[in-house]
Amino acid sequence: MDEPAAIDQLPGGLPAGLEAVLMVADQPVSEQRLAQIFEVSEIRITQALRALASEYDSRDRPRGFELRRVASGWRIYSRRDYADFVSSYVLDGQTARLSQAALETLAVIAYRQPVSRGRISAIRGVNVDSVVRTLLNRGLIAHYPEVGDGGAALYQTTEYFLERLGLSSLDELPPLSPHLPGVADLESLDSATFDD
């Protein structure tokens, strides 16, 4: 029989330890990393995380927070039902929201990545240089490791983008609205040559 892990000797054991770490995590933590921290198997970590998530979602005692698996790991989030109250507290006079131009540019990058600045400008119909800089500075997009046609820099979304949206992958993005240009229109934009 294996010797009990050090976490098992503390009140609340592994579930309480997971809560303690996840309460202070500023980004998702993987099962592998948690297994290293607590010196237990990843299987045991996964089972404990799922049990905690289920407990937090219990209808018997509603909680203001939830445990979600996003991007590359697990993190505790405030429950969406309380978003207005949390936003009011966190922002408290700050203007941390993205502008309409930034949101539109981010959407183009998310759905068309990797994409050049020239293609983004063509799709939006305006110069996007300052908006792209803002998105880079906020960590929502990053340079794609390869260059595009003619040496153009390409952009892609980041794990932080997925985390902020509460998604585990880009496959979870909602389908594009039927009011956007058709696929044929987008293909014609792709085939055009744009300068950066």
Side-chain angles (χ1 to χ4, degrees):
M1 183 172 165
D2 292 334
E3 188 175 312
I7 190 63
D8 296 324
Q9 307 304 314
L10 296 175
L14 182 59
L18 288 168
E19 289 174 329
V21 169
L22 293 172
M23 278 292 181
V24 298
D26 61 354
Q27 59 187 6
V29 185
S30 70
E31 287 101 333
Q32 180 182 15
R33 180 68 181 119
L34 291 167
Q36 291 171 347
I37 292 168
F38 294 108
E39 299 177 344
V40 299
S41 71
E42 283 186 49
I43 292 170
R44 188 168 171 209
I45 292 291
T46 301
Q47 290 171 342
L49 288 167
R50 288 181 179 159
L52 283 172
S54 178
E55 179 184 332
Y56 299 157
D57 288 338
S58 169
R59 295 189 190 279
D60 297 335
R61 183 173 178 263
R63 304 249 171 95
F65 59 91
E66 60 188 339
L67 178 60
R68 281 191 273 165
R69 185 174 200 325
V70 295
S72 60
W74 293 79
R75 186 167 176 203
I76 293 176
Y77 290 89
S78 58
R79 202 167 287 282
R80 289 182 177 107
D81 299 341
Y82 305 102
D84 291 341
F85 302 108
V86 173
S87 292
S88 176
Y89 171 74
V90 171
L91 296 179
D92 195 22
Q94 298 176 24
T95 54
R97 293 191 174 140
L98 292 174
S99 67
Q100 185 67 31
L103 289 172
E104 290 172 7
T105 301
L106 188 56
V108 170
I109 295 169
Y111 283 97
R112 303 296 298 160
Q113 64 186 304
V115 63
S116 71
R117 189 177 298 171
R119 286 201 176 132
I120 300 166
S121 292
I123 291 169
R124 290 212 46 242
V126 296
N127 184 308
V128 295
D129 291 350
S130 65
V131 176
V132 167
R133 275 193 302 275
T134 297
L135 295 173
L136 283 166
N137 289 337
R138 291 200 180 186
L140 294 167
I141 65 169
H143 290 280
Y144 189 71
E146 300 173 21
V147 294
D149 296 337
L154 300 176
Y155 299 94
Q156 65 183 2
T157 56
T158 61
E159 290 221 355
Y160 179 64
F161 165 80
L162 292 174
E163 178 189 335
R164 297 296 296 166
L165 289 183
L167 304 174
S168 57
S169 77
L170 292 171
D171 295 334
E172 295 179 12
L173 284 172
L176 289 173
S177 167
H179 302 293
L180 293 176
V183 173
D185 297 331
L186 291 176
E187 293 301 325
S188 68
L189 288 174
D190 278 345
S191 62
T193 302
F194 302 103
D195 298 324
D196 247 1

